[in-house]
């Protein structure tokens, strides 16, 4: 599929979802079960992206001290948990990764 | 200053702290999009057509891995499902607005605009100029996102390719997900989705992400309804 078509369809779907209940309000109430399910979308989607990035940086499972991405991710998780600060979390994770990669001669 | 412009600028100001995080994210997006093989115009247009940071990040990864277009569109849809929740949340405050306002504010309804506008509505309820606040927050974010993407596209070639810039995405998501994990169903949704994502990594067409997200949503929902 052409990248422009992908962008147009992806953009149309995104706009449609943002517009959905703004458009429907008053005409249609969201079923409670849908509302409940939607609450779990962010943690589910985000974790599905986070886990492979930390545990499979080279596309194979790597749970060892040699996995720089995993160690940097753990640091970021701790910082996010303690501070709830987005910028600090990104900085802490990125700096940890760069230092580990540099120490291992990978950069 | 009249009430509408006061509201508008209050929205811009409320958005400001969020922009500090968005700007570097846009820079990195621009650089990654070029690295994945998108043309500068394609990369920039994605920032205004799709206008959703995390979906754009994922799209660059999928383009780089040469995933089929239909899978990319499906993945964008799943990653952006959460916007329906924002839509439902602001809908009661927008229902009185003239027709031309609704699509405009819907287009601007990103995570960060919702963070500012949703909080404003929660605190002040329905006010005569609340939609101007929303517009100010949304446009501040939109402008920042366009400029930072453009700058990333412009500087992209200058950034050392050995730098693991794409790691900014999981890091940003860690920052977004940690504050949400307040109860057992949320934690279970996150852990099950993460585990399935690892197990399903080998699935064709990168379907693992969609499958993992669905398992997480079902796990969380069923745990919660059992309580």
């Amino acid at each position: 599929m052409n990248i422009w078509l992908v962008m147009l369809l992806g953009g149309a779907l995104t706009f449609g979802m943002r517009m959905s209940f703004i458009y429907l309000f008053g005409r249609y109430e969201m079923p409670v079960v849908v509302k409940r399910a939607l609450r779990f979308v962010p943690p589910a989607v985000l974790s599905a992206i986070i886990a492979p990035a930390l545990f499979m940086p080279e596309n194979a499972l790597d749970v060892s001290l040699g996995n720089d991405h995993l160690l940097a991710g753990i640091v970021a998780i701790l910082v996010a948990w303690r501070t709830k600060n987005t910028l600090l979390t990104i900085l802490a994770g990125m700096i940890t990764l760069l230092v580990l990669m540099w120490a291992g001669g990978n950069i | 200053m009249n009430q509408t412009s006061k509201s508008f600028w209050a929205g811009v100001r409320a958005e400001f702290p969020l922009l500090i995080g968005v700007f570097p994210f846009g820079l990195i997006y621009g650089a990654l999009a070029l690295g994945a093989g998108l043309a500068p115009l394609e990369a920039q247009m994605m920032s205004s057509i799709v206008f959703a940071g995390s979906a754009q990040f994922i799209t660059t990864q999928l383009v780089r891995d040469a995933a089929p277009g239909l899978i990319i569109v499906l993945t964008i849809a799943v990653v952006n499902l959460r916007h329906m929740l924002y839509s439902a949340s602001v809908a009661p405050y927008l229902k009185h607005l003239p027709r031309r306002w609704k699509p405009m504010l819907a287009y601007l309804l990103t995570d960060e605009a919702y963070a500012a506008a949703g909080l404003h509505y929660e605190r002040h309820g329905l006010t005569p100029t609340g939609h101007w606040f929303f517009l100010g927050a949304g446009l501040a974010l939109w402008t920042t996102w366009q400029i930072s993407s453009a700058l990333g596209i412009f500087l992209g070639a200058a950034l050392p390719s050995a730098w693991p810039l794409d790691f900014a995405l999981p890091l940003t998501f860690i920052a977004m997900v940690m504050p949400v994990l307040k109860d057992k169903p949320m934690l279970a949704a996150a852990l099950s989705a993460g585990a399935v994502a690892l197990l399903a990594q080998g699935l064709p067409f990168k379907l693992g992400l969609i499958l993992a997200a669905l398992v997480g949503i079902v796990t969380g929902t069923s745990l919660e309804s059992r309580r």
Side-chain angles (χ1 to χ4, degrees):
Chain A
M1 206 191 290
N2 177 296
I3 183 70
W4 286 98
L5 192 57
V6 168
M7 289 199 288
L8 285 174
L9 286 175
L13 282 169
T14 302
F15 174 75
M17 291 188 286
R18 287 174 176 163
M19 185 68 185
S20 57
F21 287 96
I22 293 175
Y23 177 75
L24 288 171
F25 191 82
R27 268 166 279 193
Y28 173 81
E29 285 292 315
M30 197 193 296
V32 178
V33 63
V34 175
K35 200 165 195 172
R36 242 196 234 154
L38 281 178
R39 262 192 353 111
F40 292 99
V41 170
V45 170
L46 301 179
S47 305
I49 294 166
I50 296 167
L54 301 193
F55 287 96
M56 315 175 93
E58 309 291 340
N59 280 323
L61 192 65
D62 180 1
V63 188
S64 73
L65 286 177
N67 183 347
D68 298 338
H69 289 78
L70 181 55
L71 297 178
I74 291 171
V75 169
I77 288 170
L78 292 175
V79 172
W81 177 50
R82 300 299 299 180
T83 69
K84 294 192 163 76
N85 182 319
T86 306
L87 202 59
L88 261 182
T89 304
I90 298 174
L91 278 177
M94 202 51 113
I95 290 170
T96 308
L97 181 64
L98 285 171
V99 167
L100 288 173
M101 286 177 75
W102 176 76
N106 294 320
I107 197 167
Chain B
M1 212 181 342
N2 63 26
Q3 200 54 45
T4 50
S5 56
K6 234 188 230 166
S7 251
F8 178 85
W9 288 107
V12 173
R13 273 198 308 278
E15 192 63 25
F16 200 77
L18 294 152
L19 299 181
I20 298 170
V22 166
F23 198 86
F25 201 54
L27 276 180
I28 296 168
Y29 158 73
L32 284 181
L34 284 204
L38 287 174
L41 181 67
E42 292 165 351
Q44 185 66 46
M45 285 309 284
M46 184 156 31
S47 280
S48 46
I49 296 175
V50 180
F51 186 41
S54 39
Q56 288 177 233
F57 252 77
I58 301 293
T59 301
T60 65
Q61 291 181 351
L62 292 172
V63 166
R64 190 193 58 203
D65 299 342
L70 191 63
I71 297 296
I72 304 182
V73 172
L74 265 179
T75 307
I76 292 176
V78 171
V79 170
N80 284 340
L81 259 181
R82 65 186 187 284
H83 291 106
M84 288 180 78
L85 198 63
Y86 305 157
S87 186
S89 162
V90 298
Y93 303 105
L94 307 185
K95 67 168 193 283
H96 66 289
L97 291 178
R99 197 172 282 172
R100 63 177 191 283
W101 273 89
K102 293 181 184 177
M104 184 168 61
L105 292 181
Y107 170 70
L108 293 172
L109 186 57
T110 52
D111 293 306
E112 291 83 2
Y114 173 72
L119 192 66
H120 177 80
Y121 283 130
E122 231 167 75
R123 274 191 197 147
H124 304 281
L126 185 58
T127 58
T129 57
H131 51 296
W132 285 96
F133 183 98
F134 189 162
L135 185 67
L139 278 183
L141 179 83
W142 187 87
T143 312
T144 305
W145 186 243
Q146 303 309 319
I147 294 174
S148 58
S149 314
L151 211 57
I153 292 166
F154 182 67
L155 296 173
L159 293 169
S161 61
W163 285 26
L165 290 179
D166 50 351
F167 199 54
L169 180 73
L171 290 175
T172 308
F173 286 179
I174 286 171
M176 282 168 71
V177 85
M178 288 304 288
V180 182
L181 304 180
K182 276 182 264 182
D183 52 35
K184 267 188 199 150
M186 282 287 179
L187 197 61
L191 291 179
S192 58
V196 172
L198 294 179
L199 293 171
Q201 185 74 356
L203 283 187
F205 310 134
K206 299 261 166 189
L207 281 168
L209 169 62
I210 297 172
L211 181 70
L214 292 178
V215 169
I217 294 164
V218 170
T219 306
T221 312
S222 51
L223 264 182
E224 193 182 53
S225 58
R226 206 185 295 165
R227 289 202 301 188

